Amino acid sequence: TAAHTRGQIRAIRMALDTAGLSPLDVTQIHAHATSTKIGDNTEAESVETAIGTHPVVTATKSMTGHLFGASGALAAVAAICSLRDGVIPATRNLVDLDPEVKLDVVAGSARPHSGSVALTNSFGFGGHNASLVLTTN
């Protein structure tokens, strides 16, 4: 997983650099989160390394399933709506978060949130990694 985290960390950091923001500016993350142990734990490790554990995390795919190429676009729409409405949707069907994941994952019900910077992750097969930063500014 070291090779995977390197690519994911690089994508996250490049998105932040392009936006002119620091990891501390990120208040919410819309994770790639395919609901696999290796995938989710690798992404959690990448987020912890690149950003930290302070942002609130949700997973759009828990509500929609995996839309493959459209997943990133839908995650961006969800992040925009979340920023606009001040609410982060819950990760559906999450009962027991893996104890290795140290992130604040929204589960159960939506959570009010007043942050202004969201990051979305889209990580594909073969190391195709993309992260997008969205702000209310």
Side-chain angles (χ1 to χ4, degrees), residues 6-92:
R6 277 194 305 272
Q8 292 176 5
I9 291 165
R10 183 170 181 255
I12 293 167
R13 288 182 174 160
M14 286 176 65
L16 288 170
D17 288 346
T18 299
L21 298 171
S22 82
L24 292 175
D25 294 319
V26 178
T27 58
Q28 63 177 276
I29 296 173
H30 293 254
H32 182 71
T34 57
S35 195
T36 64
K37 181 171 177 62
I38 189 153
D40 291 356
N41 287 17
T42 298
E43 182 176 12
E45 182 181 340
S46 297
V47 166
E48 288 176 42
T49 301
I51 295 178
T53 59
H54 64 277
V56 178
V57 180
T58 190
T60 308
K61 285 182 195 72
S62 70
M63 296 168 266
T64 65
H66 201 320
L67 304 173
F68 296 96
S71 292
L74 186 59
V77 170
I80 290 167
C81 291
S82 184
L83 288 168
R84 180 195 67 200
D85 298 341
V87 176
I88 299 177
T91 303
R92 298 289 177 222

